[in-house]
Amino acid sequence: MASLAGQGVLLAVDGPELAPWDMLVAQLRRRLGGRDIEVDVFDARDGMASWADVLAATTSRELADDPDFEKLATISLDDLCAQPVEPEPRPGAVTVVLGPGAALSEHDELWYLDRPKRCAEAEVTAGVGRNLGQRDGDGLATTRRLFYVDWPVLDRHREAIALGVALWIDARDPDRPCALDASTLTATAQALVRRPFRTCPTFNSTPWGGHWGQRRLHASIDQPNTALGYELVAPESGVLIGDRPDQTVELPFQLLVSLYPREVLGEQVQDRFGTSFPIRFDYLDTVGGGNLSVHCHPRAAQMRDVFGWPYSQHETYYVMVAEPGSHIFLGLRNETHIDAFHADAARAHETGQAFDVSRHVRTHPAVEHQLYLVPAGTPHGSSAGNVVLEVSATPYLYSLRFYDWLRHDSEGRQRPVHVDLAFSNLDPERRDGNVAADLVRAPRPVRSGPGWLEEVLGELPEMFFDVRRLQMDPGSEVREDTDGRFHILNVVEGEGVSIVSGGGDEMTLAYAETAVVPAAVGAYTVSAWGASPARVVKAFVR
């Protein structure tokens, strides 16, 4: 606060729409008021274009009437500001412009008030909060706009102003915000992107969700299940900085990538993907739950032209847990007629008439530690009784459902399916014969050493990443090298491993935990600890 003690200081505090702005004002007035400094507050959102103009600028023709999806917004926050707020500072007072877009106003100092995206999603799902540009009377906020418009617009804005931020404020707990000054943040981030690190794991609940995360990982979640375990999902993941639990600051992982893309991604990966971190790791937990929907993901042309992502959502399923009788839906049956499949799916959606989806989509026994490849356009899903580690391309919000078992959400409404979009992206060539040959493969050994073996689990020409596995005896050590491309590691069996960089930085990775090894790490070693063998899944961009 010392920097605000001057005469006529103009402070800009930028951040997402759903940050706790009232908390910030109260804190400033309490602290500065104790020093007899008055605070004048102006809202940057008063300079936003009208809600009608915001909608017109961010609504695509292709998905204008779709209730769930929108094309990824490419517009800048500057384009949505009709006129930045420009108050006249009052002598002897601190003038504060706050809210998304505050950095566009003239200012003497810039702060950023952040809150993780999971908090915004929870608020919008609960029916509170506003979308970017909404004002009172403009209707309810939607996750549709939050995911596809607000987040990409605000992320680009945050990355554009990041180097000018003097204070980063983490408001995960609005009653107890924590902050980092610019020099500390920069020094910490520069060190972090040169060593292995872990992002914050989070869980989310869905109607099909299971309980493995709660029972096996003791996940603390105030929800009925642990359906979705987000280990590393670049647009949403955060990294905790600090040693004391009550004083940690969570930084967006994507911010680190955008500030230090060469160090995190590597030069060749950045040249190909820009600052988009292209691989994600997450869990699908159906142990004690229900079947996932049978769905597919957009193929390249529609992903680019309709949804706005420059690369497709190819996936893989690595089965960590499989209860007796569980299975994986993957590919079409040889005898499937697309028109009959479409008619069954449309009828179920329109009239609520159930059908046996396995008459059209093949089921495979779920085998623990088997990898199933899921190229874009391939119908797939996990049955009840599995834990799937999903290793996939980062675009993660485009599950085009053929069938969802006529399931209802927590409000009693039938969950949406996307019959027309799903069938327009369906790859009709992914059938029994080539599914078994191409998508469910035996591991292929590529190198070995004393007590360890590395295998290729999955690779396809159309998929830009490889999935491999290290099989390690207790006490064995594997020498690795990023070779200029980041690695992601996950312990899928055993007690855990130690990861030591060439510079001596060490971290431990326990069962079901995920680590990012930035490209800048170069040479590193992985050592198995504990009394049992370890298996480690490794993914990287080819």
Side-chain angles (χ1 to χ4, degrees):
M1 294 289 182
S3 61
L4 304 184
Q7 300 291 309
V9 174
L10 205 161
L11 170 67
V13 187
D14 216 306
E17 173 67 37
L18 291 175
W21 298 108
D22 291 344
M23 173 279 294
L24 175 75
V25 172
Q27 290 266 9
L28 285 171
R29 284 183 167 149
R30 179 175 62 83
R31 296 194 181 191
L32 294 177
R35 295 157 57 186
D36 296 324
I37 300 174
E38 295 184 6
V39 179
D40 296 334
V41 177
F42 296 83
D43 196 323
R45 291 166 291 189
D46 290 340
M48 290 283 287
S50 70
W51 181 234
D53 287 344
V54 170
L55 287 176
T58 57
T59 300
S60 68
R61 176 180 56 82
E62 299 89 346
L63 296 170
D65 298 322
D66 192 283
D68 302 302
F69 301 117
E70 178 53 277
K71 191 170 187 176
L72 207 66
T74 58
I75 199 167
S76 73
L77 186 58
D78 309 43
D79 295 327
L80 299 180
C81 289
Q83 180 64 50
V85 173
E86 301 291 0
E88 187 68 33
R90 185 161 58 93
V94 171
T95 301
V96 181
V97 179
L98 57 78
L104 303 176
S105 299
E106 292 292 331
H107 55 270
D108 300 309
E109 185 162 330
L110 175 62
W111 295 358
Y112 197 90
L113 178 65
D114 193 41
R115 200 159 184 230
K117 289 177 176 175
R118 61 184 178 272
C119 301
E121 182 180 355
E123 290 185 8
V124 170
T125 301
V128 298
R130 301 188 301 193
N131 286 125
L132 180 65
Q134 270 186 323
R135 295 173 172 86
D136 291 343
D138 285 334
L140 294 175
T142 66
T143 54
R144 175 178 179 260
R145 289 197 62 83
L146 185 71
F147 296 159
Y148 305 108
V149 178
D150 300 2
W151 285 356
V153 169
L154 291 170
D155 283 358
R156 281 194 298 275
H157 176 66
R158 180 193 64 207
E159 292 164 12
I161 67 174
L163 293 178
V165 172
L167 189 70
W168 181 278
I169 307 168
D170 173 7
R172 280 172 293 159
D173 182 350
D175 296 326
R176 302 183 66 182
C178 296
L180 277 180
D181 62 72
S183 59
T184 303
L185 189 155
T186 299
T188 303
Q190 287 178 343
L192 190 66
V193 298
R194 290 170 171 83
R195 58 176 296 171
F197 63 88
R198 177 156 164 71
T199 56
C200 308
T202 61
F203 283 89
N204 206 350
S205 180
T206 72
W208 49 259
H211 305 282
W212 168 82
Q214 292 160 315
R215 297 168 184 167
R216 180 66 174 81
L217 305 183
H218 307 292
S220 176
I221 179 172
D222 186 24
Q223 296 187 71
N225 58 60
T226 45
L228 297 163
Y230 296 127
E231 279 291 301
L232 176 64
V233 182
E236 295 189 38
S237 291
V239 180
L240 287 180
I241 293 175
D243 296 325
R244 292 179 52 181
D246 60 337
Q247 293 184 357
T248 57
V249 170
E250 183 175 332
L251 293 179
F253 171 62
Q254 186 57 46
L255 177 65
L256 295 177
V257 178
S258 68
L259 291 175
Y260 303 102
R262 284 287 197 265
E263 291 81 356
V264 177
L265 299 170
E267 183 175 355
Q268 292 183 31
V269 178
Q270 187 196 1
D271 289 346
R272 184 173 179 182
F273 293 97
T275 58
S276 176
F277 191 87
I279 300 177
R280 70 184 172 105
F281 273 47
D282 63 276
Y283 294 120
L284 305 174
D285 173 9
T286 61
V287 174
N291 299 332
L292 265 69
S293 66
V294 176
H295 58 281
C296 72
H297 301 297
R299 299 168 74 181
Q302 285 214 27
M303 182 62 96
R304 180 185 64 247
D305 299 336
V306 176
F307 297 99
W309 272 82
Y311 57 99
S312 295
Q313 189 175 344
H314 300 301
E315 291 187 341
T316 68
Y317 276 10
Y318 185 93
V319 175
M320 291 178 65
V321 175
E323 294 185 329
S326 64
H327 51 269
I328 300 295
F329 297 92
L330 184 63
L332 298 169
R333 301 180 69 87
N334 280 336
E335 62 272 24
T336 297
H337 293 283
I338 303 299
D339 289 346
F341 183 15
H342 188 285
D344 281 348
R347 190 181 306 111
H349 172 54
E350 294 164 5
T351 69
Q353 181 176 332
F355 72 101
D356 181 3
V357 72
S358 65
R359 290 192 294 110
H360 306 295
V361 177
R362 183 178 174 184
T363 61
H364 306 255
V367 177
E368 290 187 357
H369 300 291
Q370 174 66 51
L371 186 78
Y372 302 79
L373 299 172
V374 189
T378 306
H380 65 285
S382 170
S383 79
N386 294 327
V387 175
V388 169
L389 171 63
E390 197 171 42
V391 181
S392 77
T394 289
Y396 65 113
L397 294 170
Y398 308 95
S399 292
L400 310 178
R401 299 181 187 130
F402 298 98
Y403 187 57
D404 194 37
W405 317 98
L406 307 183
R407 193 155 31 213
H408 291 74
D409 62 20
S410 59
E411 303 297 322
R413 299 168 299 208
Q414 185 167 312
R415 296 216 317 163
V417 294
H418 319 97
V419 174
D420 290 339
L421 281 172
F423 277 94
S424 68
N425 281 278
L426 175 64
D427 184 349
E429 301 304 315
R430 293 295 181 188
R431 294 178 181 263
D432 276 351
N434 62 33
V435 166
D438 294 344
L439 307 187
V440 188
R441 299 183 176 184
R444 176 170 59 85
V446 288
R447 64 184 184 126
S448 62
W452 64 269
L453 169 69
E454 181 173 1
E455 305 165 300
V456 174
L457 299 182
E459 57 182 0
L460 281 175
E462 62 264 48
M463 297 174 67
F464 62 81
F465 59 93
D466 279 3
V467 181
R468 298 190 178 188
R469 181 173 60 203
L470 302 175
Q471 306 247 41
M472 304 179 66
D473 291 340
S476 62
E477 180 179 284
V478 181
R479 295 186 181 276
E480 289 278 3
D481 198 309
T482 62
D483 195 26
R485 299 166 183 263
F486 71 87
H487 289 180
I488 308 173
L489 306 180
N490 178 283
V491 179
V492 294
E493 186 175 63
E495 296 176 53
V497 299
S498 296
I499 305 171
V500 182
S501 70
D505 294 310
E506 181 175 2
M507 71 172 295
T508 58
L509 201 63
Y511 172 72
E513 292 185 343
T514 304
V516 178
V517 184
V521 169
Y524 67 99
T525 60
V526 181
S527 303
W529 46 263
S532 58
R535 299 194 203 198
V536 179
V537 163
K538 177 176 74 173
F540 57 91
V541 176
R542 282 199 300 274

